[in-house]
Amino acid sequence: MTSNQNIGSSEGGATQRARGNNAVQETAPETNNLLLPDTLSVHELANLMEEDPIDVIKELIRQGVMANINQVIDFDIASKVTQAYGFEAQRLGEDIDNGWREFSLDEKGAPNLIARPPVVTILGHVDHGKTTLLDAIRESNVTDREVGGITQHIGAYQVEYSGQKITFLDTPGHEAFTAMRARGARATDIAVLVVAADDGIMPQTIEAMDHARAAQVPIIVAINKMDVPGADVDRVKRQLVENGLVIEEWGGEVITVPVSAKEKQGIDELLDNILVVSEVEELRANPERSAVGVIVEAQVDKSKGPVATVLVQTGTLRTGGVVVVGRTWGRVRALFSDSGSRVEYAGPSTPVELLGLSQIPMAGDILGSVDSEKIAKDIVGERDRLSQSQQDFAAPTLEDAASRIGSGEISELNLIIKTDVQGTVDAVRGSLSKLSTEKARVSIVHAASGSINETDVMLATASRAIVIGFSTKVEPGARKLAETEKVDIRQYDIIYRLVEDVQRALSGLIAPEIREVVEGHVEVRAVFSAGRRGNIAGSYVTDGRITRNSIIHIIRGGEIIHRGLVASLKHFKDDVREMATGFECGVVVEGFTDYVVGDVLEVLREQQVT
Ligand code: GDP
């Protein structure tokens, strides 16, 4: 543990900037340590050293490396450059108790490994019975019955079944699951996918499936509501297979268990199967090492201060110990089990309520116990310094991905696809799947119809994927989240453009950046019927112009309600190529017919950024 590591002391950075690059070579500046990841772009490296990227590129050339600003270089090359600037590079995560790294869960080669209980999350479509199932399991199998039936909800609980423990995360749904994963946590060992037998597979079932698969977590399907007259197990099984989950009876690996959460039927079979899968997964942990865990939920209690539920993943968390969580630390004042009893320690896969943190952490934050307050303070201090650059290592943009493919660093392009209607999902998926090259292949993490929402952005963060929208809009919340999480959302209306961009990225080539610029506005003043072909918007160009090739956002009440290309543009009866300010025209936008007087058509044009 060293405490003198930092991202260039302000003194060193400033003097070097003032001296410029040449001076760096003639003096032997005092050495500062600089933490670097395995790979980073030239731009990121320049930022970390607080140097002009152009100077860094020149330094690279001096070292015999031709690289542009977006090029990704590896640690060995980067460390040579940092040396020239007086920084000693150290690989991020090399020193176990230092820096912004996740406390490692790696148990390879560790002695004293013991089997640990599986951690299970319940996913599925709304109203299919996730909460009822969690309650049913809890009620029939609580470990500690001493507290007179008081059920504490701390965000996770443990049951004992067949002499073995199973931990359930009590925050059902893939949104919470993926939000945790986006923060770097890998909390779940097994996903139970709940499908109502009367309803069958629904859009969120598919979403949940994709989220679990993206996390590479084994899935067990609980076919719920078997007590309902319309229950149809075979239909659910067929639908599972159609969606790529090959069930056991049909030669696959996915176990299905019919249950009724309401009647508490089939619960034992479900738990039996969870234990079977858990055994196959060989879940092990070392209770004798320092604890690493993940925050499941947290809030402020008026009398107790910040209260956090921690799922201990490995090691043993003890009262009195010092812990670091995200960018805060604290001394463990007290621990409470899921049944509300005070405990002195908590081992692997155990959820506990923790008192003693100075600030509220976020769900998905990693907790690690350390040996002293000094170490905790050092780590937090270093994380504060690193936080900015750390964000730069989030999900890649299409350009980043292209340059990483170009340099051979990655060989897979992760995509999340959202389109206007189901028909285009299949078309886009089909066109993109074919594109894989020798250098890299397309991996479609999730594809569905509908607008781009916050869950898609979370999934992109967690899976380091790019979100592709085809003829669909981005929800305002998702747009905001994408900005903070730095997720790249690409919108297309023309399939060949999309294919071309992805194709270029897969070949390691950076496509010219295309931005959309507003070219004018058109107001709908009357709506005419054109029979079976739908409606025509009788419109007036209030500013700018509209052309036959424009992209249109239909805006109503300040919100974009549709996005599509111009399908037809007429002046009286004649087809026209464009209409300018002050003219009237008849507009038809592809995929839309419900024009209302007062709608505004925002006219967009694609422009290449030079
Ligand atoms: P969630 O949104 O997936 O958490 O679903 P809930 O657990 O809230 O359940 C939704 C509705 O389905 C509730 O009215 C439950 O009582 C009902 N429900 C859940 N499981 C069963 C079941 O096995 N049989 C029947 N008949 N109803 C169920």
Side-chain angles (χ1 to χ4, degrees), residues 120-299:
V120 182
T121 298
I122 299 202
L123 310 175
H125 193 75
V126 65
D127 279 347
H128 278 197
K130 297 180 292 294
T131 314
T132 313
L133 183 61
L134 274 164
D135 289 345
I137 294 168
R138 185 182 169 114
E139 278 162 33
S140 28
N141 300 279
V142 273
T143 39
D144 184 353
R145 291 182 183 277
E146 282 167 32
V147 273
I150 300 168
T151 42
Q152 273 258 132
H153 277 269
I154 66 165
Y157 65 79
Q158 214 168 40
V159 300
E160 197 161 319
Y161 176 76
S162 269
Q164 294 185 61
K165 286 179 175 160
I166 305 172
T167 304
F168 285 88
L169 292 180
D170 199 0
T171 42
H174 55 275
E175 290 86 358
F177 171 81
T178 297
M180 282 175 93
R181 217 158 66 75
R183 298 192 64 73
R186 195 192 141 80
T188 300
D189 300 310
I190 298 168
V192 170
L193 182 68
V194 177
V195 185
D198 54 343
D199 226 8
I201 285 188
M202 299 301 273
Q204 284 173 29
T205 319
I206 297 174
E207 226 173 86
M209 248 183 221
D210 287 343
H211 282 237
R213 281 194 286 219
Q216 297 178 333
V217 169
I219 298 172
I220 296 176
V221 181
I223 305 179
N224 190 31
K225 305 199 185 182
M226 288 305 294
D227 58 297
V228 174
D232 186 345
V233 179
D234 289 334
R235 184 177 64 138
V236 174
K237 288 183 178 170
R238 263 197 322 275
Q239 291 174 330
L240 288 170
V241 176
E242 278 160 21
N243 284 283
L245 277 197
V246 188
I247 57 173
E248 259 191 330
E249 296 126 274
W250 298 10
E253 288 186 346
V254 177
I255 298 168
T256 58
V257 188
V259 300
S260 164
K262 197 171 169 196
E263 307 287 329
K264 299 198 172 63
Q265 299 289 316
I267 306 291
D268 284 357
E269 287 77 6
L270 179 62
L271 298 177
D272 277 329
N273 280 298
I274 288 174
L275 292 177
V276 168
V277 174
S278 157
E279 184 125 359
V280 174
E281 293 291 302
E282 292 188 23
L283 307 167
R284 299 276 183 276
N286 174 6
E288 288 178 21
R289 55 170 278 180
S290 56
V292 177
V294 52
I295 303 295
V296 176
E297 61 175 47
Q299 64 266 325

